[in-house]
């Protein structure tokens, strides 16, 4: 596998601003080999190679979309995304429709849109189901006596 790098080491190696590297990691995530170590996502040496190629193409004024197709043409391998521990633990079922309120407005400025709240609502639903299961298990333990 080779050496693994954390995000800070990748940023230092590329000598590009942290926000730019984070945007590239997000945008080109399907091409970036990662390994999970505890809560940290570590990047394999292939990630540095890919991000250096992205830096070169960006310096040559290619758009991110064009770079994406160039990476495919150049034969960069695609990888499956690494799920976070929370994503492994909580599944977000689509069994119930989500009801959201109208956007919150503050002096004619919209600060929250219903579609932005859906992931949060799904997370709360998953957590509430977990609490219900815990409560059920506690009830069983209490009633055993």
């Amino acid at each position: 596998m080779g050496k693994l790098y954390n995000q800070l080491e990748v940023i230092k190696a590329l000598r590009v601003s942290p926000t730019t590297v984070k945007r590239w990691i997000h945008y080109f995530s399907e091409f970036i080999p990662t390994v999970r170590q505890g809560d940290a996502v570590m990047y394999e040496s292939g990630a540095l190679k890919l991000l250096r190629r992205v830096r070169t193409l960006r310096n040559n004024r290619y758009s991110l979309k064009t770079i994406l197709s160039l990476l495919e043409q150049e034969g960069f391998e695609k990888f499956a995304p690494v799920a976070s521990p929370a994503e492994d633990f909580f599944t977000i079922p689509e069994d119930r429709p989500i009801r959201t309120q109208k956007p919150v407005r503050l002096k004619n400025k919209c600060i929250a849109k219903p579609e932005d709240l859906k992931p949060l609502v799904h997370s709360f639903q998953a957590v509430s189901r977990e609490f219900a299961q815990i409560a059920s298990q506690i009830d069983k333990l209490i009633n055993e006596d």
Side-chain angles (χ1 to χ4, degrees):
M1 177 171 18
K3 185 172 178 1
L4 297 176
Y5 303 88
N6 64 30
Q7 196 173 63
L8 183 60
E9 291 170 326
V10 171
I11 291 167
K12 287 180 180 180
L14 292 173
R15 290 187 231 125
V16 178
S17 76
T19 54
T20 299
V21 172
K22 290 175 185 178
R23 182 174 47 251
W24 290 351
I25 287 172
H26 177 74
Y27 196 83
F28 301 107
S29 62
E30 64 185 326
F31 292 101
I32 298 179
T34 57
V35 175
R36 179 161 296 288
Q37 287 186 342
D39 288 342
V41 175
M42 304 297 286
Y43 301 93
E44 296 179 14
S45 57
L48 281 177
K49 179 182 175 187
L50 176 115
L51 291 169
R52 284 186 178 117
R53 180 66 179 137
V54 169
R55 180 185 61 195
T56 301
L57 292 169
R58 286 296 288 155
N59 288 340
N60 291 328
R61 304 285 185 212
Y62 285 97
S63 70
L64 294 178
K65 187 176 181 181
T66 302
I67 292 172
L68 196 60
S69 54
L70 287 172
L71 294 175
E72 287 179 9
Q73 290 173 10
E74 292 174 8
F76 278 92
E77 185 179 354
K78 291 186 179 184
F79 298 89
V82 175
S84 71
E87 290 170 340
D88 291 339
F89 186 73
F90 293 110
T91 56
I92 301 174
E94 300 290 334
D95 57 352
R96 287 189 270 167
I98 297 174
R99 292 177 297 168
T100 56
Q101 297 177 352
K102 292 181 181 176
V104 177
R105 297 193 182 275
L106 180 63
K107 293 186 180 181
N108 296 328
K109 291 184 180 180
C110 183
I111 58 173
K113 298 176 187 168
E115 60 270 13
D116 296 337
L117 299 175
K118 285 183 182 181
L120 183 61
V121 171
H122 281 300
S123 296
F124 281 130
Q125 287 175 334
V127 170
S128 68
R129 279 189 288 282
E130 292 297 320
F131 280 130
Q133 288 180 351
I134 291 170
S136 173
Q137 293 296 325
I138 291 171
D139 284 343
K140 288 179 184 177
L141 289 173
I142 291 172
N143 293 331
E144 283 182 0
D145 295 337

